[in-house]
Amino acid sequence: MYAAAVFLPFIGFLISGAIIFLRIAKHAPQGGGHGHGHDHAHGAHAGHGGHDDHAAHGDPSLDRAAQLVTCGCMLLAAIAAIFAFTNVVVNGNTGAVEIFTWIDSGTLELSWALRGDTLSLAMVLMVTVVSSMIHVYSVGYMSHDSSVPRFMCYLSLFTFMMLMLVTANNLLQLFFGWEGVGVASYLLIGFWFDRPSANAAAMKAFIVNRVGDFGFALGIFATYMLFDSINFDTIFALAPQKADAMLHVFGKDYHALTVICLLLFVGAMGKSAQLGLHTWLPDAMEGPTPVSALIHAATMVTAGVFMVARCSPLFEFSDTALTVVTIVGASTAIFAATIGCVQNDIKRVIAYSTCSQLGYMFFALGVSAYSAGVFHLITHAFFKALLFLSAGSVIHAMSDEQDMRKMGGLYKLIPVTYLMFWIGSLALAGVWPFAGYYSKDMILEVAYAAHTGVGQYAYWMGLTAAFLTAFYSWRLIIMTFHGTSRADEHTLAHVHESPKVMLIPLCVLALGAIFVGFSTVDYFVGEHYEEFWGKALFMLPTHQALEHAHHVPLWVKLSPLVVGAAGIALAYFLYMFRPDLPGKIAGAFPAVYRFLLNKWYFDELYDAIFVKPAFRIGHALWKKGDGAVIDGLGPDGVSYVIREASKKAGVLQSGYLYHYAFAMLLGVAGLITWFLVAGK
Amino acid sequence: MTDFPWLSVVTFLPLVGALFILFFSRGTAEQVARDARAVALWVSSITFLVSLGLWVNFDVRTSDFQFVEKFVWVPGLDLAYHVGIDGISLFFVLLSTLLTVLCILASWESIQERVKEYMVAFLILETLMVGMFAALDIVLFYVFFEAVLIPMYLIIGIWGGPRRNYAAFKFFLYTLAGSVLMLLAILAMMYQSGTSDMTRLLTFDFAPSLQTWLWLAFFASFAVKVPMWPVHTWLPDAHVEAPTAGSVILAGVLLKFGGYGFLRFSMPMFPLASLEFTPLMFTLSIIAVIYTSLVALAQEDMKKLIAYSSVAHMAFVTLGAFAANTQAVEGAIAHMLSHGFVSAALFLVVGVVYDRMHSREIATYGGLVHRMPKYALIFMIFMMASVGLPGTSGFVGEVLVLIGLFKANSWVGAFAATGLILGACYMLYLYRRVIFGQLTKDNLKSIGDLNMREIAVFAPLLLLVFWMGIYPETFLSAMHVSVENLLERYHSAIAAHGAATAIAAR
């Protein structure tokens, strides 16, 4: 069952990949259509490039087949995941499913395997359920697109890679899934490859992630150096013994686990778009909306959170690393929330919101409340996917308009979407009894209950961000759905509620956004904690934040609700009742407004520090280094010297007798002198 | 079948084919060309199939040389025709025989002039390459090693691009300059040890001071071949001017001569000097990774870009070899193999569009995905393999090298790992400019996708890239014992010397 849940999406990917090429063969311009028995080994990436311009409206029967196959596989995978989850978590049959050896070199022994513990299974269940809903939704959303099979193919590839990531039993397989989702997201962000902005965003996502992966890779190497293994079972078992071990890296001895955890966390920062490495996420909104929902809200970006939780037996022994995680998480939470308040692109608001929520998850991890972080990860997956897909529904209705300044007054026209937006936003803002309430409250409580300086920092940042979250969520709702419409008549005439195939997945996710919170809270962070998690997460007995969180003062428990309500109220006041005010405020503080609107100028900064110099240096090294210096002193220089020398030597051979006679005379004189001087 | 002279057959079958083409082709120029192609394809395919027999019959449990054949050549000097392979050389022989077949297939239509001579050159080249990897007599090795230059020089100089003379001259000058020193070193080794038998030289302890000089002489030759910074500038020029198949062999096999040389000669024969010069190797390789990656970013010519990326990738090989632990050395070999598949494939990828448009300028292209989806897919896969995506062969070599290297020296490991980022930058940037975007250029509007012959050329490489990425054990298991043997020799020689100096110091 477990293997089925993981590999069914892969099968869907292979079949839809084959369909892409069937379609090309059918519409081959040269008529040389060959059945093209595509080898599975190549099929393994058959995702790419199935776009054919000639058949602009695609091939309905093949498109339908691709949709059926991928959605079918995903739904079956979700069912299989439910069974697998029951088997492992409820019946307690933990243990890994070995597939076959991967790499075996000296003491480095790695297998392809599926890890069977609560953390993996919870993630598998979430990923398959959310992903299958997004697959179904895509059938409707992408119905006007010319490359349906390619889109479905990429989605399935992504899901498979994500599943490989969360089921990994060693760090390198985790890295496989990690990079695999990176490629899939690269393909999906750049799905509309005619747009230069989409291509640039895709590249940026891949490269910024690679910067994180650089740290992750070094973390893996350091782990191997310390433990002589990178299999989870081995390193987790050995970690307590190595708690005080030193590692000689970078010319000095450092606390081994701190080095490892910090390096791994760099990877997590890249994938989860934390402060500094977040720049790719807003740009990634260039991809079709289901992609944003699947990758940039529900699954991939949470991989960093998952990874830190998975490595909790390592992080627990490094207070420094945990402190860094807390600070980065809390800072990201507030930073992204401030930007979210001024963005005008509906998807970018949600993207920054995701960034901010990931910050919450991280500071929960940082105070050792891993389960709270993962709990928020799961609830967030449902309500954020819901929000994105609802945004997609708005965009679909508005004929691909994403700018909220050109929306307004839509609530009567698309009531179901409007309702969905409310559910998603209530969950996001953490209003009782929606899912976000349980997880977000828990996170703020554990931060407070950590009783540390960074814990307090995280609590206050988180609380402020909660206020901003509520504010920008309702700013979005009001700007989009209320007031008078600012869209042109043509667009407005076309506004329609989305088809059922899009609305049903929305409803399923909405149910998740409502019920996942209170139905599971006792298992994730409550009284059934022990039996639910088993050995999947690890906390030192001295790290008591989770325990203390249940006994925080009442004002700590209530304040998230209060600031949430305040944020909502402020949004209503500013955008509903006094819509002239926001512009005046922005006008009063132009510098602040521009700073926020331009996302703290991170992109400009990186461009000036990294991108432009890299090209300049590259060019200089090529022309000056290779051309002038190496070739100049090397082959070209040598041949030049020889050529010039032989020219000079040629001049000597003038043909005039007196030249030769003179030279001879000089020679004779020289010889005699030498004999006279040296011969004595 | 142990009596069957596997290695000699694999080595000399192509030569027989070449002679056959040379002496028995008759008729009009067209017929000659057709026959030459057919014979070359048949002969190289059969050679490849026979070479698979080497793999099938290879015993992975021993580090001894296998399929050994020995005939005295010059009795007075103890020179012999002595060949054999172990876990280190096995796959290079297979790589050579495979790539030759693909090269001949890839040249099917693009070479229209002097086809007979072209095919003869490739078959002779195959003999020399296989002979180089199989040779167990140091003089025999030298003969093959040097002789390879001749057909390669001709391939670039005759069938190359407009600046072929400059490129061929540069290629020849660089490689020959290195080899002269190596010849002197070989003579010195024979004088010292009294034998040219590599199996004996591998365990002969040269005096430490002599090792230094011998090492440097071999280094001069191998560093040019790899090529290491700063003697790499011949490579971009040679690649740019060489015909596609020439680039494939150059990148796929010839660059491996250097890496193979370091593992076969420098490390086991001069272990003390190797240790002494490890910082030099690390420094030059690190510079190569960063320097050439940045240069690659600035390229406007596709072939030059891939040539520079080759320099960066091969630096991982030298890093891995000199990190001298199991993972790094196995990684270095795996990386050489992978680079053999991937860089060969990338040059073929460039060749595909060059055959159609006769331009290598990146700016000539753009939006090819609209007309060439299959091409875009194949390019994508090899690009990802080149940037070391897990699941492809590129990852296995790279990660093994890095994991071993980091253990040996974390600074070097960290600097080398920047290749992960830089590699992605230049490859994705290239891909974006060539494949993505709108198809606006008029002359590209009728460009055709891959035909069956081209797919057949790529198919084996695709298979290998994924095979080695997902189940590398097939390849690694054959190297384990030989690599262990090599490292055992390397470390015990160093330890013995350390003990000896400790006693002397007492």
Side-chain angles (χ1 to χ4, degrees), chain B residues 288-355:
Chain B
V289 170
I290 297 169
Y291 180 110
T292 51
S293 295
L294 287 170
V295 173
L297 199 56
Q299 295 306 306
E300 288 136 21
D301 178 311
M302 286 198 257
K303 263 188 152 180
K304 257 196 174 159
L305 194 154
I306 294 164
Y308 274 111
S309 84
S310 275
V311 182
H313 280 290
M314 288 306 289
F316 275 84
V317 173
T318 46
L319 287 168
F322 282 82
N325 54 43
T326 313
Q327 290 83 27
V329 173
E330 287 186 1
I333 301 171
H335 196 64
M336 279 197 268
L337 282 177
S338 162
H339 183 260
F341 311 144
V342 176
S343 69
L346 285 172
F347 280 115
L348 289 167
V349 160
V350 177
V352 166
V353 286
Y354 183 77
D355 285 351

Side-chain angles (χ1 to χ4, degrees), chain A residues 408-428:
Chain A
L410 291 175
Y411 74 99
K412 275 185 217 147
L413 300 169
I414 44 174
V416 183
T417 306
Y418 178 59
L419 175 68
M420 294 301 151
F421 243 110
W422 263 90
I423 296 175
S425 298
L426 286 169
L428 173 63

Side-chain angles (χ1 to χ4, degrees), chain B residues 85-108:
Chain B
I85 51 173
D86 68 354
I88 297 174
S89 44
L90 166 68
F91 291 109
F92 294 110
V93 171
L94 294 174
L95 184 67
S96 310
T97 54
L98 171 68
L99 287 183
T100 307
V101 180
L102 300 184
C103 279
I104 287 165
L105 212 50
S107 312
W108 209 256

Side-chain angles (χ1 to χ4, degrees), chain B residues 180-397:
Chain B
V180 173
L181 293 172
M182 188 169 81
L183 178 63
L184 289 175
I186 288 175
L187 292 175
M189 285 164 75
M190 285 170 65
Y191 180 71
Q192 278 282 314
S193 64
T195 181
S196 63
D197 185 345
M198 281 162 58
T199 52
R200 280 161 64 194
L201 286 169
L202 280 170
T203 50
F204 188 88
D205 293 314
F206 290 100
S209 56
L210 185 64
Q211 280 196 21
T212 307
W213 291 107
L214 294 177
W215 191 94
L216 282 171
F218 274 84
F219 170 75
S221 186
F222 297 147
V224 168
K225 274 276 176 359
V226 167
M228 294 179 71
W229 186 88
V231 288
H232 65 281
T233 59
W234 64 271
L235 188 73
D237 285 314
H239 271 309
V240 165
E241 299 307 326
T244 301
S247 291
V248 169
I249 286 290
L250 191 58
V253 184
L254 258 57
L255 301 192
K256 284 28 180 214
F257 281 24
Y260 173 75
F262 282 123
L263 289 171
R264 177 64 82 225
F265 294 91
S266 307
M267 304 257 310
M269 292 187 194
F270 327 123
L272 301 177
S274 295
L275 183 68
E276 185 186 342
F277 285 113
T278 297
L280 173 76
M281 296 299 288
F282 281 173
T283 312
L284 294 183
S285 306
I286 290 297
I287 294 176
V289 170
I290 297 169
Y291 180 110
T292 51
S293 295
L294 287 170
V295 173
L297 199 56
Q299 295 306 306
E300 288 136 21
D301 178 311
M302 286 198 257
K303 263 188 152 180
K304 257 196 174 159
L305 194 154
I306 294 164
Y308 274 111
S309 84
S310 275
V311 182
H313 280 290
M314 288 306 289
F316 275 84
V317 173
T318 46
L319 287 168
F322 282 82
N325 54 43
T326 313
Q327 290 83 27
V329 173
E330 287 186 1
I333 301 171
H335 196 64
M336 279 197 268
L337 282 177
S338 162
H339 183 260
F341 311 144
V342 176
S343 69
L346 285 172
F347 280 115
L348 289 167
V349 160
V350 177
V352 166
V353 286
Y354 183 77
D355 285 351
R356 288 162 172 68
M357 305 301 301
H358 299 285
S359 167
R360 296 178 314 261
E361 287 292 309
I362 295 169
T364 319
Y365 300 98
L368 285 184
V369 63
H370 294 279
R371 292 284 311 169
M372 308 175 74
K374 289 177 218 162
Y375 177 73
L377 165 66
I378 284 182
F379 194 171
M380 168 67 71
I381 293 171
F382 287 116
M383 171 185 77
M384 287 301 170
S386 168
V387 304
L389 186 79
T392 64
S393 61
F395 177 70
V396 174

Side-chain angles (χ1 to χ4, degrees), chain A residues 647-669:
Chain A
K647 256 189 220 158
K648 296 272 156 57
V651 173
L652 286 181
Q653 215 159 28
S654 59
Y656 295 114
L657 197 59
Y658 62 88
H659 279 175
Y660 299 156
F662 181 66
M664 202 168 96
L665 200 66
L666 275 182
V668 169

